[in-house]
């Protein structure tokens, strides 16, 4: 399970580099931070249950943040 967090770190690093190349500074900074956290979690050797709880916590925070941003910051189309 720890290896999966390293894979997540790799893919978020790729997204961060592509957004950095596209001059999207805020997005690249967000994904660089996520990459660092995922790589750190990948080498901490927690139990599998702990990794599952951390992943679900990450998903809840990410979806709440995405929903907040898309509704309140971007505005509704009507």
């Amino acid at each position: 399970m720890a290896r999966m967090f390293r894979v997540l770190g790799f893919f978020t690093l790729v997204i961060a580099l592509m957004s950095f190349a596209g001059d999207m500074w805020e997005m690249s900074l967000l994904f660089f931070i996520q990459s660092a956290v995922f790589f750190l979690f990948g080498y901490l050797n927690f139990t599998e249950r702990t990794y599952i709880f951390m992943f679900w916590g990450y998903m809840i925070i990410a979806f709440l943040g995405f929903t907040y941003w898309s509704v309140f910051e971007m505005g509704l189309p009507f």
Side-chain angles (χ1 to χ4, degrees):
M1 195 63 162
R3 191 176 296 173
M4 207 56 228
F5 272 85
R6 288 180 232 152
V7 170
L8 283 170
F10 170 75
F11 282 117
T12 54
L13 181 64
V14 169
I15 293 169
L17 290 172
M18 287 190 294
S19 62
F20 185 73
D23 291 333
M24 294 183 273
W25 307 110
E26 294 88 2
M27 181 178 168
S28 64
L29 180 63
L30 178 68
F31 276 89
F32 278 130
I33 292 170
Q34 286 184 26
S35 298
V37 169
F38 283 145
F39 279 127
L40 175 72
F41 283 165
Y43 287 104
L44 287 179
N45 293 327
F46 289 128
T47 63
E48 187 171 347
R49 185 175 182 171
T50 305
Y51 279 122
I52 295 293
F53 284 145
M54 286 190 311
F55 182 71
W56 276 104
Y58 169 74
M59 295 295 352
I60 289 170
I61 291 170
F63 285 134
L64 285 175
F66 177 76
T67 303
Y68 170 80
W69 186 265
S70 61
V71 172
F72 296 112
E73 297 295 325
M74 291 179 66
L76 297 175
F78 31 76

